[in-house]
């Protein structure tokens, strides 16, 4: 059996150590800094108050991310607004171009990500920017692992097509 006080301390330590990525995740959904802070604050309260629902401290990261995602989605439902991640948001995830990438490819990626639905964008952010394993993404999104894989690969294919379109226009333009 878990010691609730010890687990609460572990959660608090985890939240403090990972506050930037938790904020980025919230921001990727709600798009406004103040709203993201509200989501983070509410998520922290939910995490600490529901410490008994954490079955294993090894799954803390996906457990916290699931709380943040669900809190952000609840917030958006309450606000009844559509979130579109802009280039500024994406630039918080893209610190520098990857080796071998063209200089404009970050802008192409940001533009392509803007065209995705919030669910698709969230899947990409969790997997590639927050570096979660597919199994962890599935846990966060409460999906079957195979469903997560197929949706992720479909989204990647969609991104590839969107990023190739500008190149086609340049070649034929």
């Amino acid at each position: 059996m878990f010691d609730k006080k010890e687990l609460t301390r572990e959660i608090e330590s985890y939240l403090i150590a990972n506050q930037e990525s938790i904020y980025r995740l919230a921001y990727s959904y709600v798009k406004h800094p103040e709203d993201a802070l509200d989501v983070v604050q509410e998520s922290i309260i939910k995490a600490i108050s529901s410490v008994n629902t954490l079955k294993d401290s090894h799954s803390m990261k996906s457990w916290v991310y699931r709380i943040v995602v669900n809190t952000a989605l609840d917030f958006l439902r309450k606000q009844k607004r559509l979130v579109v991640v802009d280039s500024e948001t994406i630039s918080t995830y893209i610190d520098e171009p990857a080796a071998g990438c063209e200089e404009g490819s970050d802008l192409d990626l940001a533009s392509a990500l803007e065209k995705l639905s919030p669910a698709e964008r969230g899947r990409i952010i969790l997997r590639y920017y927050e570096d979660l394993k597919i199994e962890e993404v599935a846990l966060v999104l409460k999906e079957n692992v195979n469903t997560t894989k197929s949706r992720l690969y479909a989204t990647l294919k969609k991104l590839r097509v969107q990023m190739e379109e500008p190149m086609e226009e340049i070649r034929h333009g």
Side-chain angles (χ1 to χ4, degrees):
M1 193 85 190
F2 290 115
D3 176 18
K4 186 176 178 177
K5 286 184 181 181
E6 179 60 30
L7 198 53
T8 301
R9 278 192 291 267
E10 282 185 51
I11 290 171
E12 289 170 351
S13 295
Y14 177 83
L15 293 170
I16 291 167
N18 295 283
Q19 60 187 339
E20 288 179 20
S21 28
I22 292 168
Y23 173 80
R24 278 195 318 262
L25 179 60
Y27 186 86
S28 73
Y29 278 86
V30 298
K31 193 184 172 199
H32 294 93
E34 297 82 13
D35 295 342
L37 288 172
D38 289 344
V39 167
V40 169
Q41 182 177 357
E42 190 173 335
S43 297
I44 290 169
I45 292 167
K46 287 180 180 180
I48 292 172
S49 66
S50 61
V51 66
N52 293 332
T53 64
L54 179 60
K55 293 176 176 64
D56 178 13
S57 63
H58 298 309
S59 61
M60 191 177 303
K61 182 177 183 178
S62 58
W63 181 77
V64 168
Y65 278 29
R66 180 175 47 226
I67 291 171
V68 174
V69 168
N70 288 336
T71 303
L73 292 173
D74 288 346
F75 177 86
L76 291 172
R77 278 187 217 106
K78 288 177 190 171
Q79 298 297 317
K80 295 183 181 176
R81 61 179 178 196
L82 178 64
V83 174
V84 178
V85 176
D86 59 12
S87 300
E88 179 183 327
T89 305
I90 298 306
S91 69
T92 64
Y93 290 103
I94 303 171
D95 295 325
E96 56 187 53
C101 288
E102 296 174 22
E103 194 171 305
S105 64
D106 286 348
L107 294 176
D108 293 342
L109 177 60
S111 175
L113 283 170
E114 284 179 24
K115 296 175 185 174
L116 297 176
S117 72
E120 292 169 327
R121 203 171 29 256
R123 210 171 265 108
I124 295 292
I125 288 168
L126 288 170
R127 176 66 183 102
Y128 296 103
Y129 296 112
E130 296 302 329
D131 202 29
L132 294 182
K133 295 176 184 167
I134 291 178
E135 294 78 13
E136 293 172 318
V137 175
L139 275 173
V140 169
L141 300 176
K142 293 184 180 178
E143 295 177 339
N144 175 295
V145 174
N146 290 330
T147 301
T148 300
K149 279 183 189 177
S150 63
R151 289 179 178 170
L152 182 62
Y153 294 134
T155 302
L156 288 172
K157 184 177 180 181
K158 189 174 180 179
L159 268 176
R160 238 179 260 117
V161 168
Q162 288 177 2
M163 290 185 69
E164 287 173 359
E165 285 174 0
M167 292 305 293
E168 289 299 318
E169 290 173 14
I170 292 170
R171 286 184 202 135
H172 300 297

